Amino acid sequence: MSSQTQTCNPTIAKHDQFMTINFGRYPIVMERGQGVRLWDDTGKQYLDMFSGFGAGILGHCHPDLVQAVTEQANKLWHVGNLLHTKPQTDLAEAISKHGFDGRSFFCHTGADANEAALKLARLYGQANPSASGKGRYKVISATKSFHGRSFGTMPATGQEKVRQGFGPMLPGYTNVPFNDLAAIEAAIDEETVAVIVEPIQGEGGVNMPADDYLPNLRALCDKHDMLLICDEVWTGCGRTGKYFAHQHWGITPDMMTLAKGVGGGLAVGVMCAHERVAKHFDYRTLGTVVHATTLGGNCLAMAVAAKVFEVIERDNLTDHANAMNKHIVDRLSKLKNAGITDIRGKGLFIGVELDIASSDTWYSNVSEVVNKCLDRGVLLNGTQNNVLRIAPPLCITEAELDEGLDVLQDVLLNQ
Ligand SMILES: Cc1ncc(COP(=O)(O)O)c(C=O)c1O
């Protein structure tokens, strides 16, 4: 997978000489994309079943997004957040319309969005102290969660490998098992102010909550006046067959964070909070700017993100994601002797757990399956050694899916 081999490809050679080698990259240089297709610099074609970790939610160079960014590029790029611009307000309105009655703050990444949520939670906890008058700042999150790699989000991310070498961590974070309400209850103390949770864990293996987990968590947060932050960086924007995954369980969070798909491939992060929480960022009462980022809400990114929501609604891509989920699950659940032990997820966010320990299957790690599919022109992803992730652009057709599933089926059964 690593490209630090002898290469005569000039792009890879430049990467190896001039870039930090913080990713293990495939020795492939992608040049062009259209819809669910990609082409590398040798002309080889690929079917994208992973959307660049979910960011390409409408595929590559979607004509409506190209038009939106082109029109905006010819009009206005960036003015700074001391002035108003229409694309920001269009996006904020769309998030509120499809989500809940909240106020949006714009930034660039998922880590950024979660940083904003965690900072806002601290302000809320100062303004709403414990019964004994202590300001509240502690945050509970789940093991196997992923919330980012910044200093504020690393300790929330419940995976030790992400923190390795970067200690000491910020204090005030506790990780408890996902789906375990009693563990959350046991971790609460008088300084706890928030719980941050992915409605469906992404990097942790597309892990589903029990049906009553999020409703009970909502009730627990209400009981202790704790804020429920839903990290919808992976699961937002129609990915799971609803605009936002928390809607599957009929709850409303106090804050929701978005990134990846919301920008359709551009860098957009969003933190959306209810007024009772958002007011703690309010410049008018605080008399000073308490949180900001210079390029957050820049016109190009906002115009594209607003268009993402328009296209999802116009093309009814949430229903389409649900129909395609059924198709994928129907096909994969009929596969015998492929080593599949579980198929989970919602919409076009699917985890296929593989039995990597079995002597009946040829593979011993999901990456071997992913690599074989890639050789045959299908991009998939593996996480946690044994979970294959299928997360194509929401506009993928059944015929295109079948093309990818044919390859996957053949790889699983025959290498
Ligand atoms: C659920 C979740 N939250 C936050 C992040 C961090 O997002 P970013 O990589 O844009 O900082 C990720 C990244 O994978 C994620 O999956």
Side-chain angles (χ1 to χ4, degrees):
M1 181 149 141
S2 165
S3 64
Q4 290 98 270
T5 48
Q6 289 295 321
T7 178
C8 51
N9 184 303
T11 300
I12 296 176
K14 274 199 241 178
H15 162 271
D16 290 353
Q17 188 176 357
F18 297 119
M19 289 175 66
T20 59
I21 316 292
N22 55 316
F23 295 101
R25 295 178 197 255
Y26 296 105
I28 295 170
V29 178
M30 284 301 181
E31 207 164 63
R32 190 162 68 81
Q34 190 64 57
V36 295
R37 311 277 173 190
L38 285 163
W39 288 266
D40 71 15
D41 64 353
T42 69
K44 180 174 170 178
Q45 188 185 118
Y46 300 79
L47 178 73
D48 190 353
M49 300 265 279
F50 194 57
S51 319
F53 289 82
I57 201 144
L58 297 182
H60 303 279
C61 301
H62 190 289
D64 291 295
L65 301 192
V66 170
Q67 189 182 351
V69 79
T70 307
E71 280 175 9
Q72 192 60 49
N74 283 311
K75 211 194 275 178
L76 186 67
W77 289 34
H78 174 68
V79 293
N81 284 307
L82 295 181
L83 297 159
H84 295 281
T85 59
K86 185 173 180 298
Q88 286 191 357
T89 53
D90 287 346
L91 177 58
E93 183 184 35
I95 291 166
S96 182
K97 172 182 166 190
H98 296 295
F100 54 84
D101 184 18
R103 294 183 178 275
S104 285
F105 165 81
F106 298 123
C107 46
H108 311 286
T109 68
D112 263 4
N114 285 331
E115 285 276 348
L118 294 164
K119 284 181 74 176
L120 186 52
R122 281 201 174 187
L123 294 182
Y124 181 88
Q126 291 301 319
N128 297 276
S130 69
S132 70
K134 279 191 177 163
R136 297 182 296 151
Y137 69 100
K138 293 183 181 171
V139 174
I140 301 171
S141 63
T143 49
K144 288 197 172 178
S145 64
F146 195 97
H147 299 293
R149 295 174 184 273
S150 62
F151 275 102
T153 57
M154 250 189 304
T157 293
Q159 306 195 45
E160 198 46 47
K161 64 181 181 192
V162 167
R163 301 190 267 240
Q164 213 103 58
F166 295 111
M169 291 291 114
L170 277 184
Y173 292 81
T174 311
N175 305 146
V176 302
F178 185 57
N179 242 335
D180 186 343
L181 201 73
I184 293 191
E185 212 158 0
I188 297 170
D189 71 24
E190 64 168 337
E191 291 173 307
T192 307
V193 70
V195 176
I196 182 166
V197 68
E198 295 159 84
I200 301 172
Q201 285 193 328
E203 303 307 310
V206 193
N207 301 321
M208 296 294 292
D211 282 347
D212 60 355
Y213 180 64
L214 291 170
N216 285 342
L217 180 55
R218 175 69 274 179
L220 186 68
C221 287
D222 289 342
K223 182 174 155 197
H224 293 274
D225 185 25
M226 297 185 313
L227 302 175
L228 178 58
I229 305 168
C230 279
D231 179 337
E232 297 255 14
V233 166
W234 241 121
T235 54
C237 305
R239 167 62 61 198
T240 71
K242 294 243 186 223
Y243 277 94
F244 305 107
H246 66 261
Q247 294 166 336
H248 287 289
W249 292 278
I251 62 150
T252 308
D254 299 294
M255 288 188 251
M256 163 173 85
T257 54
L258 306 174
K260 294 190 190 284
V262 69
L266 293 189
V268 180
V270 181
M271 188 283 299
C272 180
H274 271 288
E275 170 63 13
R276 77 182 179 92
V277 183
K279 72 178 186 193
H280 297 286
F281 265 0
D282 197 323
Y283 172 84
R284 291 165 300 186
T285 43
L286 299 167
T288 184
V289 175
V290 289
H291 191 60
T293 175
T294 303
L295 270 160
N298 76 85
C299 298
L300 295 185
M302 296 293 103
V304 169
K307 187 60 78 175
V308 165
F309 280 102
E310 257 182 70
V311 173
I312 291 172
E313 184 173 18
R314 183 196 68 199
D315 297 349
N316 201 2
L317 292 178
T318 48
D319 282 356
H320 181 67
N322 288 321
M324 293 303 100
N325 174 290
K326 187 171 175 327
H327 182 67
I328 295 170
V329 174
D330 281 353
R331 265 201 70 165
L332 292 181
S333 49
K334 285 194 193 110
L335 263 190
K336 299 277 173 265
N337 305 319
I340 296 175
T341 54
D342 192 24
I343 305 167
R344 49 187 185 249
K346 280 188 180 289
L348 283 171
F349 192 43
I350 294 178
V352 181
E353 191 168 315
L354 300 177
D355 187 357
I356 56 172
S358 166
S359 53
D360 296 335
T361 51
W362 63 268
Y363 51 79
S364 57
N365 193 297
V366 66
S367 58
E368 294 170 286
V369 174
V370 170
N371 292 349
K372 291 265 181 204
C373 289
L374 183 65
D375 286 346
R376 294 179 53 177
V378 174
L379 265 92
L380 287 158
N381 175 264
T383 190
Q384 304 290 327
N385 295 327
N386 65 340
V387 182
L388 186 75
R389 290 193 295 181
I390 304 176
L394 297 187
C395 44
I396 195 165
T397 64
E398 190 173 301
E400 288 162 340
L401 266 181
D402 275 336
E403 229 180 272
L405 292 173
D406 286 347
V407 169
L408 174 61
Q409 174 175 327
D410 198 39
V411 164
L412 285 172
L413 294 175
N414 308 311
Q415 293 200 33

